[in-house]
């Protein structure tokens, strides 16, 4: 008897979204290795709204944090979806270095800082300009 397929068959679980190279670079707190990992690998990004799976042009809506006191906007990036704090929106996306470069360029005037694995285990912080230099 054939096993019944679940609705989510073939759909990756959020826990499968990770970048081993970025996780290792953050563990070493090696800025050069972080730059290399971002330049050549994917990054996990929290989403306010996931993209339409039937529309490859719909990548979803990226979630950013706006400090209520200062108005500063932060982009949060993760090496692993498991490192995303539970109090953030539940959706995640995994994006290419080209997407990250384009996103930072498009929002350069708005985003004031970028946090990598903000809740650990090995957090780092960088300016959008620093990341754009690393992605060049």
């Amino acid at each position: 008897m054939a096993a019944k397929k679940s609705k989510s068959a073939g759909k990756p679980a959020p826990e499968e979204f990770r970048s081993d190279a970025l996780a290792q670079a953050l563990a070493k707190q090696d800025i050069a290795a972080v730059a290399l990992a971002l330049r050549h690998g994917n990054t996990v990004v929290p989403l306010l709204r996931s993209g339409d799976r039937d529309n490859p042009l719909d990548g979803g809506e990226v979630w950013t944090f706006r400090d209520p006191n200062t108005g500063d906007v932060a982009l949060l990036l993760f090496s692993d979806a498991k490192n995303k704090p539970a109090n953030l929106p539940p959706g995640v996306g995994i994006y290419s270095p080209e997407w990250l470069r384009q996103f930072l360029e498009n929002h350069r005037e708005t985003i004031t800082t970028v946090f990598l694995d903000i809740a650990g285990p090995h957090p780092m912080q960088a300016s959008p300009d620093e990341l754009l230099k690393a992605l060049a």
Side-chain angles (χ1 to χ4, degrees), residues 2 10 12-13 19 40-41 50 57 70 76 81 85 87 93 96-97 104 107-108 114-115 120 122 124 130 133:
S19 167
H40 297 288
S50 295
L57 300 177
T70 65
L76 279 61
N87 63 336
S96 70
L104 290 172
H107 301 284
R108 183 183 234 154
V114 179
F115 290 102
H122 307 285
M124 281 185 109
E130 289 173 316
K133 286 177 189 172

Side-chain angles (χ1 to χ4, degrees), residues 45-73:
V45 181
L47 298 178
L48 189 58
R49 178 191 61 78
S50 295
D52 178 0
R53 293 185 77 64
D54 293 330
N55 180 359
L57 300 177
D58 184 0
E61 185 177 348
V62 173
W63 181 87
T64 55
F65 173 78
R66 181 178 300 275
D67 185 313
N69 299 320
T70 65
D72 290 346
V73 175

Side-chain angles (χ1 to χ4, degrees), residues 14 22 35 41 56 84-85 87 97 100 102 106 123 126 129 136:
L22 183 56
K84 183 183 72 62
N87 63 336
L100 180 57
Q102 195 67 27
N106 290 344
D129 287 338

Side-chain angles (χ1 to χ4, degrees), residues 1 4 50 55 66-67 69 80 92 105 113 122 126-127 136:
M1 182 173 198
K4 191 175 181 179
S50 295
N55 180 359
R66 181 178 300 275
D67 185 313
N69 299 320
D80 191 319
V92 294
E105 284 180 358
T113 192
H122 307 285
S127 73

Side-chain angles (χ1 to χ4, degrees), residues 3 6 8 15 19 27-28 38 43 52 54 61-62 65 70 77 89 91 99 102-103 109-110 118 122 127 131 134:
S6 70
S8 62
E15 305 81 49
S19 167
K28 294 176 185 174
L38 290 174
T43 307
D52 178 0
D54 293 330
E61 185 177 348
V62 173
F65 173 78
T70 65
L77 304 176
W99 175 90
Q102 195 67 27
F103 188 84
E109 300 300 316
T110 306
I118 191 168
H122 307 285
S127 73
L131 290 184

